[in-house]
Amino acid sequence: MRVKAESGEKDIMRAFFALCGALLPLLAVGAPPADPCVKVAGKTFAAPTDVLACQKSFPFNETLRQNVLTNMERVFDFFTFEDYYLKSPPPFQESTVNIRETLAKINNTHFKTDYDFNIAIYDFTTQLNDGHTRWFPDCYTLYQNILPAPVVNIEVDGVQGVFVAPDSVEFLSQLGDEFTSFFDDLGFDWKRLAGAKVVEIEGRDPYDYVDFIAKTVSGNYLDHGVRVNSVFSSYRVSGTNFSQRIGDLAGPTVVRQTSLHMKLIPVHSRAVESVDIPFLANYLGLPFTDGPSFWAANCAANDLTNGVDLKGFRVQDLPRKLAKAEIIDKSGGNGINLPPPFLPNTTSVPGSEGVIKSFILPDNKTGVMFLGSFAGDFDRFQADVVAAISAFQKAKVSQLLLDLTNNGGGFVCLGQFLHQYLSGSQIGYPGFVSTNRANPLAQTIVAADIDLGLDARFTFYTADNCMAGNQVLEWTDLDTEIKTAGVKDDPHAPPDLLVSGNFRHNWRTAWSFFDENVPIAYESELPTFRFNYTAETYNKPQALWEFAAKQLFG
């Protein structure tokens, strides 16, 4: 009897579990899906698959599309280069696009998620190849997708090739145990890739793939060659420190890929290996715990998203507005230090504590000024230039190298100042013409500024604004212009953004010295000298400077 009872109990249990199995799908229909953002919350590093699941969990919203596109359409009315993009002059033809048609196409495209919509706009503005005119949706540019195989273009035995950066272990290990343990847990030995010769990337010749990244990911520069350079890993200044830029191939600031396929030849080997290299996403945004808090912290408009009416501020609290033409590099927040063996060890001179790093090379006759940026402290930049040149003169330096690697631009007037100071000419107007776009709203703003008697503390439109070249306005700058002029209710005025983002635009065009009908941005001048990087110079500033001094000065 007991056996029968046990058998009956088993039958009942089987029936119970079968019933549960049948009911669970029905219950799940009404239950909310798991929040994928919880899985990546609180993590500095996360698998790209998990990051994409979080970012794509926000559904497409038509109200947000209309808000963003209306804002962009009206900001583009101020964009000085729009007509040139209809037929870009050689050698810049790959930037040719009909901006209004593209916006209309995006407006009519079906998107499943907010991510898809924003990335479509991000890609469109990126491929304008104008770092002064880009859409940055904060929600989806908060992760840097890092490949543990940054690439460099160096010459070995007289032949150029693409290689995994030889210093990648020393460089990327600075990201910490959370970064390295991810690959350890996968059983992936990324360190053995350092210095490997790259034979193929995603089925393409490595240089073809580099060109592809330069065309689709890099943006920022009309000149294709400059964009190619940004694909590779190289040194720079982040903040006030030497650091190493991962490069656009191995460090894009939008998460798309989970891995990259390469064929390569490791160091001390002759055999070609096929390797699928995983990406790892590095979070650079504000803390969150789940999807709603991720959106609130990083995606929704905040107090800094839109502009303000400056007339509500005390005049003495407002600094003079200064023209800027700075590139935004979202990876700049990930300032990984240049490994110590790569840092200059020669004599530094006064004025090297900021974005300018100045040195005297061991030959005692060559001075170097590495200008990491033209942004930052406006007055300190000028003081540091003067201090460095004075130190060079005191040391009887007779040769000067200027290194502008990855400088990213900044205050237009500082570029003007540097040129005029070094040439010994009078500091003042540089002598070329620059203009704004006189759309109806711009004319209304200027008229209102005149009526209100606003000066350079309130508006960029004043006559004493530094007119030294192309100039960028962030969205908050333009919106502040509109609100301070009191014309936000003008039918041409862009609406406040409902999401956290920045649509910056090239607001002023500088015209060429040689032909004032041609924007200076379209003047392309090939270098007089070209030197290939080597394993000794690609990421060692001092070694590169010493090589250049020998080649240029003898």
Side-chain angles (χ1 to χ4, degrees):
M1 293 294 294
R2 182 61 184 164
V3 173
K4 288 184 179 180
E6 289 178 350
S7 176
E9 289 171 0
K10 289 179 180 179
D11 289 341
I12 293 172
M13 293 298 291
R14 289 192 188 99
F16 174 76
F17 285 122
L19 179 62
C20 288
L23 288 175
L24 281 174
L26 298 176
L27 294 172
V29 171
D35 183 344
C37 294
V38 172
K39 189 172 183 179
V40 296
K43 294 182 178 180
T44 304
F45 295 95
T49 302
D50 296 334
V51 172
L52 285 170
C54 172
Q55 292 184 326
K56 291 190 175 186
S57 67
F58 305 110
F60 170 75
N61 183 294
E62 184 63 38
T63 298
L64 296 183
R65 166 158 65 180
Q66 295 309 315
N67 172 254
V68 171
L69 288 184
T70 302
N71 178 282
M72 294 185 71
E73 287 167 356
R74 297 179 184 179
V75 171
F76 265 125
D77 290 340
F78 291 83
F79 180 45
T80 53
F81 283 89
E82 181 172 354
D83 290 343
Y84 283 92
Y85 275 88
L86 294 171
K87 190 176 182 181
S88 299
F92 310 108
Q93 297 96 319
E94 70 182 16
S95 299
T96 300
V97 64
N98 187 312
I99 289 171
R100 303 296 170 167
E101 284 186 1
T102 304
L103 290 175
K105 181 179 179 180
I106 293 173
N107 195 31
N108 291 317
T109 299
H110 172 74
F111 296 104
K112 184 177 180 180
T113 71
D114 188 67
Y115 169 95
D116 297 325
F117 164 64
N118 275 281
I119 295 306
I121 305 174
Y122 176 85
D123 287 345
F124 156 54
T125 59
T126 295
Q127 290 165 32
L128 292 175
N129 298 320
D130 176 2
H132 301 155
T133 307
R134 295 188 68 176
W135 167 245
F136 288 106
D138 291 339
C139 199
Y140 308 112
T141 55
L142 295 170
Y143 281 92
Q144 183 174 20
N145 211 22
I146 299 176
L147 191 78
V151 294
V152 293
N153 179 37
I154 58 177
E155 180 182 302
V156 176
D157 297 328
V159 179
Q160 270 191 302
V162 176
F163 291 79
V164 176
D167 77 318
S168 57
V169 175
E170 298 91 336
F171 165 42
L172 293 175
S173 292
Q174 296 181 70
L175 289 170
D177 292 341
E178 191 177 347
F179 177 82
T180 58
S181 63
F182 172 82
F183 300 102
D184 293 340
D185 292 343
L186 291 177
F188 183 79
D189 186 4
W190 62 279
K191 295 180 180 180
R192 65 183 292 271
L193 303 180
K197 179 177 175 57
V198 180
V199 177
E200 191 177 278
I201 305 176
E202 292 292 330
R204 301 187 184 193
D205 176 90
Y207 285 110
D208 287 344
Y209 192 79
V210 166
D211 273 338
F212 168 72
I213 296 297
K215 290 178 181 178
T216 60
V217 175
S218 297
N220 287 336
Y221 303 99
L222 282 170
D223 190 289
H224 181 81
V226 177
R227 280 181 276 125
V228 166
N229 289 341
S230 72
V231 175
F232 298 109
S233 181
S234 55
Y235 64 86
R236 64 177 175 184
V237 165
S238 290
T240 59
N241 298 317
F242 276 99
S243 71
Q244 184 166 345
R245 189 173 184 273
I246 300 173
D248 297 336
L249 182 146
T253 51
V254 167
V255 177
R256 306 172 198 261
Q257 297 166 282
T258 59
S259 65
L260 191 71
H261 182 76
M262 286 189 185
K263 288 185 178 179
L264 42 76
I265 304 173
V267 175
H268 307 308
S269 174
R270 294 183 179 180
V272 176
E273 298 183 16
S274 291
V275 183
D276 288 311
I277 308 173
F279 278 93
L280 181 60
N282 184 192
Y283 185 59
L284 304 173
L286 296 173
F288 66 96
T289 57
D290 53 17
S293 61
F294 178 87
W295 183 271
N298 299 299
C299 309
N302 56 60
D303 292 341
L304 301 178
T305 301
N306 299 297
V308 296
D309 182 351
L310 293 179
K311 296 193 301 297
F313 293 77
R314 296 192 311 167
V315 174
Q316 57 267 38
D317 293 336
L318 297 175
R320 180 178 182 272
K321 292 182 178 292
L322 296 167
K324 294 185 74 172
E326 184 178 9
I327 297 296
I328 291 179
D329 184 352
K330 288 280 189 172
S331 72
N334 207 349
I336 309 171
N337 290 335
L338 196 62
F342 292 76
L343 292 171
N345 58 17
T346 191
T347 305
S348 63
V349 302
S352 297
E353 294 76 27
V355 296
I356 301 175
K357 307 297 181 186
S358 299
F359 302 88
I360 297 175
L361 295 184
D363 64 9
N364 291 321
K365 60 183 180 181
T366 304
V368 176
M369 292 182 69
F370 175 37
L371 297 123
S373 174
F374 287 84
D377 189 320
F378 188 85
D379 294 328
R380 180 176 181 176
F381 181 99
Q382 297 173 78
D384 286 350
V385 168
V386 173
I389 295 300
S390 297
F392 291 153
Q393 291 172 331
K394 185 177 180 180
K396 301 189 184 306
V397 163
S398 58
Q399 303 166 170
L400 179 63
L401 290 175
L402 299 181
D403 188 343
L404 302 175
T405 302
N406 287 321
N407 77 85
F411 291 111
V412 176
C413 296
L414 290 181
Q416 169 193 334
F417 161 79
L418 178 67
H419 178 269
Q420 293 178 336
Y421 186 82
L422 294 179
S423 65
S425 59
Q426 182 178 355
I427 306 298
Y429 181 63
F432 52 74
V433 175
S434 62
T435 57
N436 298 95
R437 190 171 180 182
N439 66 69
L441 181 57
Q443 295 181 57
T444 301
I445 292 171
V446 171
D449 288 347
I450 293 171
D451 289 342
L452 293 167
L454 301 182
D455 60 22
R457 289 168 294 184
F458 292 91
T459 175
F460 283 103
Y461 275 109
T462 56
D464 59 343
N465 179 282
C466 173
M467 301 181 187
N470 291 335
Q471 182 178 341
V472 61
L473 286 192
E474 313 300 339
W475 159 241
T476 53
D477 294 328
L478 179 60
D479 196 35
T480 293
E481 289 280 342
I482 295 168
K483 290 175 178 175
T484 302
V487 295
K488 186 66 175 180
D489 59 351
D490 187 287
H492 299 99
D496 279 9
L497 286 172
L498 300 178
V499 294
S500 181
N502 178 21
F503 180 43
R504 63 196 329 241
H505 71 289
N506 206 322
W507 178 73
R508 187 192 296 277
T509 297
W511 302 91
S512 170
F513 288 105
F514 309 108
D515 183 349
E516 291 187 356
N517 294 310
V518 177
I520 200 168
Y522 288 116
E523 290 288 358
S524 181
E525 185 175 353
L526 295 176
T528 304
F529 302 96
R530 294 192 65 170
F531 307 120
N532 295 332
Y533 285 113
T534 66
E536 290 71 37
T537 62
Y538 82 94
N539 215 23
K540 296 180 181 178
Q542 184 175 331
L544 180 63
W545 300 334
E546 291 179 10
F547 170 82
K550 184 176 180 180
Q551 297 296 316
L552 296 174
F553 305 130

